[in-house]
Each structure stands twice: as C-alpha cells, then as structure tokens.
Amino acid sequence: MLSVFTSLAGALLSCLFYSVAVRGASSFSVDVRGHGVRLVDGPIAGGSVGVTTSDGLSYTTNITLGGLNLTVILDTGSSDLVLDLQGRQPILTNSTDIQITQAFGKGEVTGDIDFAELKLGDFTIDSQAFLNGVESADLGDTDGILGMSFNTDSTIQGQLAESLGEQAANKLGNTPMPALFAQDTDLPHLFDVQLARTSELESTAPGVFIIGGHDTNFQNVSSAPQLPSVAPNHWSLVMDSMKVNGKAFTFNASRIAGVPSGKVVAALDTGFSLPPLPAPAVDAIYSSIPGAAFDAEGQQWFVPCDASTTLSFVFGGQEFFVHPLDLSYPIAGTINGAKRTACLNTYQYLTLDPDDFTGFDLILGDAFLRNVYASFNYGESSSSQAFVQMVTTTPDMTTALQEFKTERAATLSQLPPTVEPSAIVNRSVTNGSRKSSVFGASVITLAIPLFSLLCLLY
Ligand SMILES: *[C@@H]1O[C@H](CO)[C@@H](O)[C@H](O)[C@H]1NC(C)=O
Ligand SMILES: *[C@@H]1O[C@H](CO)[C@@H](O)[C@H](O)[C@H]1NC(C)=O
Ligand SMILES: *[C@@H]1O[C@H](CO)[C@@H](O)[C@H](O)[C@H]1NC(C)=O
C-alpha cells in the first residue's frame, strides 16, 4: 500500500551501494527521498496541518525495465509493478489491451497490462507483467511502485485470469518476486530490507535492499524467530503486544480469524511513511508524553519537540524499540503571523476503510521499519507459508534517547522557534479526556513564503 507525501523540493538522492559477500544474492540500495521536516503551506493550527506541502520520507530503488532506467518506490504493502512512464517507451516482450486501475492507500494508476524485461540488481526477469500507466496520481517524483508482496493480492494476475484464464494468468502474471523465484529456482526465496534514518534536515542515508541472501552485518537474522504471515495478501504478522513505557496496551480482538486473544495483526509496509494504528493506541502513545496536546479538529497530537516516550512492539517474544526520532516530526509554518515550529505524531489514526483494506489490524510503516533489519521469506515452495525474520537496529534506548536529544536539537536550531502544544491546541489534554480545540480567526493570519523555508532547509 502506498502512502507518501509528494516531494516538493526535489529531494536529494543518496547513491549508496552496499557490497555484500553473499554468493548468488544481489544487493542494491534503497534511497531515501525527502527529509524528516515538513513544511506547512500556511499556518500551523489545529485541523489544518494535514495539508503539508513537503514530503515525508519515501524509499526508492532503481530498476531497468525494457531498457529504461527507472526509480520506483519499494512497497512491501502491494504486489504489482505499477509504472507511469510519461510517454517513454520500454522495449516490450508482449502486450495486452487489458486495462486496469490500481488503487493505493493514496492515489491510483490506470493503464494496460504489458510485459518487459525487468532488471533488479544482478537479476533479470525475462518478461515481467506490469501496469503501463497512462493516467496516474500521487506517484510523487518517482516512476512508479515496485510491489513486494504476493500474487494473491495482484490486480494484474486477477485481471489476466479473468481475461485469459487461470492457467495463462499463472504463467504470465507473476508479480516481481514470485516471477524471479520461479525463474531462478536455486535462489533462496527471500529479500531483506533495512530502511535508513536520515538526519532530519537531509535526505541522504544508506539503506539495504538485498535479494536472495542476508547482508553481511545482519547474518544473525537467519536465527531470529520465524513470524508467519497470517494473511494471504500482505506481509501480516501476529504482534504479541505494543508497550508504552513498558506497559502493554489492550487492543480489541483482531479482525483476522484464529489470532490468539490479546494479540493483533500488523502489516509490514515500506510504502507507508506514517504508521496507522487504532485511535486509542495512538492516544496511549502520545498521552504518555508530558506536555502533549490532542487536537480534536485535526485528529492529531502536538508534542513538545524535545519530548519522547518509550514505545516498543513485541513479535515472537522479541521486543523492538522505536527510536524517539520516529515518534514525532517537526513542521514549520506560521502561528499568529510569526514563523514557528511544532511537532506532530508520526504514528497516526487509522482511517483506511476496513472493507477495502483487509488482512491486518494496523500497519507498521517506515517509522517502525527503520528500527529493524527484516528478512521477508516466501518459503521453499509456492505452497509454503511465508514468514518474516527481524532483528533490531535500535537495541539500546539510552543511546537512542541521547541521539534524539542531539539530533532534534540540531534540527530545531535550523528552524523557527518552537511553540508549546498547548499554545496551538487551546487546552492541553494529558490524561485521556479529549476536548475540542477552539481557534479565533485572528490566530491564523499569514502564510510563510514557502521558498524561504526551502532555503533554510537546503
Ligand atoms: C538511481 O537513479 C537516479 C536517477 O537516474 C540516480 O541519480 C541515482 O544515482 C541512482 N541510484 C543508484 C543507487 O544507482
Ligand atoms: C502475449 O499476450 C497474449 C495476451 O495479450 C497472450 O495470449 C499470449 O500467450 C502472450 N504470449 C506470450 C509468448 O507470452
Ligand atoms: C474497540 O472497539 C470499539 C467499538 O468499535 C471502539 O470504540 C474502540 O475505540 C476500540 N478500541 C480499540 C483499542 O481499538
């Protein structure tokens, strides 16, 4: 599933390669696009900051399709290769006039199903089915989306089955990873991802994307607990608990059948920058931060920029801590006509339609995934159960807190002065009872010219 904000600034790209001593495996980089600070095109006020004009972070990788070099979002939350080539013509291996529309958490793409040679690192898929989009929305400044989940969730395969029959669909319509593993049968059926954390003001950082083996620094992931994927359409794992300051949060019963009581199902989705959780879980996290204030109008939390809490997610008995930098993000805009900075909740209210989006109770996107090295394993054969193995990259909260203090202070020193949450949301709510915020029109006056902030950031 894809949900990223569109980049305004044409963010710098990193060009970092990881050399990997794994025979047969191919590793290439995951580039970060965007930076951790959002710019508000106008006032910072309750209810209005949803309209940020700068982006969150999205993670891209380079591929070659039919001779074209492309930059695509790496998306473990969707299945198909979906592209908007803007009139460029790849060399096709086959084509159809079967038209489909792919909808994502944000945006959709319409076009025909075509086929072309796909190169991913050292690997070549001879004839990869893809959506050759002619109309698209919200792909940002990328060429499209590389879906990294399962055939079962593939719109392309479903439509090929309808038009050409099941057998032809199975032969022609594999999504990229199943296509590669069907063609290269000796290759271990897995890919690994480690998403980098940039400095908040920059967009360059090393990341890992490797197919068919583990990064040399994370060989130990092979002995981590195997967490089965319990939904056919997503990398969906049973989560033991979410802890805030060591205390487990009580979720409602999972909507996935067979999940033990007290546990819920989390989809691991690299295409989702800001992880959506059930609203009470978001409230539990942010109400634990002293000075945080809920903005009922915007359904979001303002957080003191230098404050944090201890959040962790437990899978297979392993506790994964979330770096404080992944809990809130600075936004810059105006309040009372003055340039100001405030900080918002990174973990957000889940608002996806439960009928359209199935197979999970919550989504752990990039703000969680930056804290793990994750190996996504399809299993030995096409009938095996897929699973994920994870090791932490945020092992020590004391160190993480120190990094947060240093890094956040450095960021804030480059931005306008901060305001306390209570100055934005008229009444601070720290003990769970919500009050709506009220704004006089006089509070909101002048929009800061955007370019001045961009100059500040670059
Ligand atoms: C990916 O492609 C972009 C655009 O062609 C290029 O600037 C960048 O260096 C490439 N990144 C890598 C890691 O090759
Ligand atoms: C090419 O696509 C058509 C459908 O448009 C399909 O019937 C045919 O089998 C495909 N040919 C090959 C060689 O894959
Ligand atoms: C549990 O479900 C009820 C009813 O739908 C809802 O109001 C409440 O917010 C949910 N609680 C959690 C923790 O998701």
Side-chain angles (χ1 to χ4, degrees):
M1 189 172 314
L2 177 79
S3 178
V4 290
F5 296 94
T6 308
S7 173
L8 181 83
L12 300 167
L13 283 183
S14 63
C15 312
L16 291 150
F17 270 100
Y18 263 54
S19 60
V20 170
V22 184
R23 265 174 64 85
S26 181
S27 151
F28 29 116
S29 85
V30 189
D31 297 338
V32 182
R33 295 192 153 212
H35 44 70
V37 177
R38 315 295 156 83
L39 310 173
V40 182
D41 189 9
I44 297 173
S48 78
V49 268
V51 218
T52 53
T53 51
S54 184
D55 60 342
L57 303 173
S58 68
Y59 290 87
T60 63
T61 194
N62 287 352
I63 62 171
T64 307
L65 182 94
L68 298 178
N69 293 330
L70 305 173
T71 300
V72 290
I73 292 170
L74 186 73
D75 187 16
T76 59
S78 68
S79 296
D80 291 313
L81 178 60
V82 174
L83 299 170
D84 178 6
L85 298 174
Q86 309 266 342
R88 284 168 297 168
Q89 300 292 336
I91 300 159
L92 298 180
T93 51
N94 199 355
S95 65
T96 76
D97 52 11
I98 304 167
Q99 200 187 66
I100 55 171
T101 294
Q102 265 275 38
F104 297 92
K106 192 178 176 216
E108 61 177 44
V109 181
T110 299
D112 288 346
I113 301 171
D114 285 332
F115 303 83
E117 180 193 82
L118 172 63
K119 286 194 169 136
L120 282 169
D122 294 338
F123 299 121
T124 301
I125 298 161
D126 295 334
S127 187
Q128 176 62 53
F130 70 102
L131 196 171
N132 199 350
V134 287
E135 262 178 75
S136 76
D138 282 323
L139 289 177
D141 54 358
T142 70
D143 298 306
I145 297 154
L146 178 64
M148 300 292 287
S149 74
F150 305 100
N151 281 344
T152 38
D153 196 34
S154 166
T155 309
I156 289 179
Q157 198 167 68
Q159 196 56 51
L160 286 175
E162 218 164 90
S163 304
L164 305 175
E166 201 77 39
Q167 211 179 346
N170 289 339
K171 184 164 160 280
L172 305 173
N174 274 322
T175 59
M177 286 302 103
L180 176 63
F181 298 136
Q183 190 182 304
D184 203 336
T185 46
D186 290 342
L187 195 66
H189 294 178
L190 59 87
F191 68 89
D192 292 3
V193 174
Q194 195 240 315
L195 303 182
R197 184 176 299 106
T198 62
S199 123
E200 289 182 312
L201 292 166
E202 285 159 11
S203 56
T204 305
V208 177
F209 172 31
I210 175 167
I211 297 173
H214 305 308
D215 186 276
T216 37
N217 295 320
F218 294 99
Q219 293 293 327
N220 60 338
V221 77
S222 63
S223 49
Q226 295 185 0
L227 308 165
S229 182
V230 295
N233 56 346
H234 286 289
W235 291 99
S236 288
L237 313 180
V238 174
M239 186 173 96
D240 300 341
S241 64
M242 176 185 98
K243 291 185 181 174
V244 180
N245 288 326
K247 191 164 169 286
F249 174 78
T250 307
F251 285 98
N252 283 347
S254 175
R255 59 188 187 128
I256 312 301
V259 172
S261 86
K263 301 187 181 186
V264 290
V265 172
L268 301 189
D269 190 340
T270 56
F272 237 101
S273 324
L274 309 175
L277 308 180
V282 174
D283 292 347
I285 297 167
Y286 292 95
S287 64
S288 76
I289 299 179
F294 184 71
D295 162 30
E297 208 184 330
Q299 300 281 289
Q300 62 203 349
W301 283 86
F302 285 94
V303 179
C305 288
D306 59 355
S308 180
T309 189
T310 301
L311 173 66
S312 64
F313 296 93
V314 182
F315 291 92
Q318 294 171 281
E319 185 166 17
F320 296 97
F321 288 98
V322 174
H323 199 290
L325 285 168
D326 294 323
L327 282 178
S328 67
Y329 63 92
I331 57 167
T334 59
I335 292 174
N336 278 337
K339 297 178 185 183
R340 290 289 180 268
T341 301
C343 286
L344 274 177
N345 56 312
T346 304
Y347 288 74
Q348 306 211 327
Y349 278 19
L350 177 69
T351 55
L352 296 168
D353 183 339
D355 295 329
D356 290 344
F357 296 95
T358 60
F360 55 80
D361 299 302
L362 54 89
I363 296 174
L364 292 179
D366 302 335
F368 169 76
L369 291 167
R370 281 193 286 275
N371 297 281
V372 297
Y373 176 96
S375 180
F376 297 81
N377 198 316
Y378 288 83
E380 293 293 304
S381 74
S382 53
S383 57
S384 318
Q385 186 166 36
F387 60 89
V388 175
Q389 292 171 293
M390 295 192 286
V391 289
T392 182
T393 56
T394 308
D396 173 13
M397 272 305 284
T398 310
T399 307
L401 265 169
Q402 276 160 6
E403 287 167 357
F404 170 68
K405 292 227 179 301
T406 311
E407 165 86 32
R408 189 50 68 81
T411 304
L412 294 177
S413 74
Q414 303 289 307
L415 295 172
T418 55
V419 278
E420 284 308 305
S422 55
I424 307 170
V425 176
N426 75 324
R427 221 162 305 174
S428 164
V429 179
T430 47
N431 54 9
S433 72
R434 288 187 203 156
K435 301 212 175 70
S436 62
S437 48
V438 183
F439 294 94
S442 64
V443 179
I444 303 160
T445 49
L446 195 86
I448 189 175
L450 202 59
F451 65 86
S452 63
L453 266 170
L454 292 175
C455 296
L456 199 64
L457 294 170
Y458 284 95

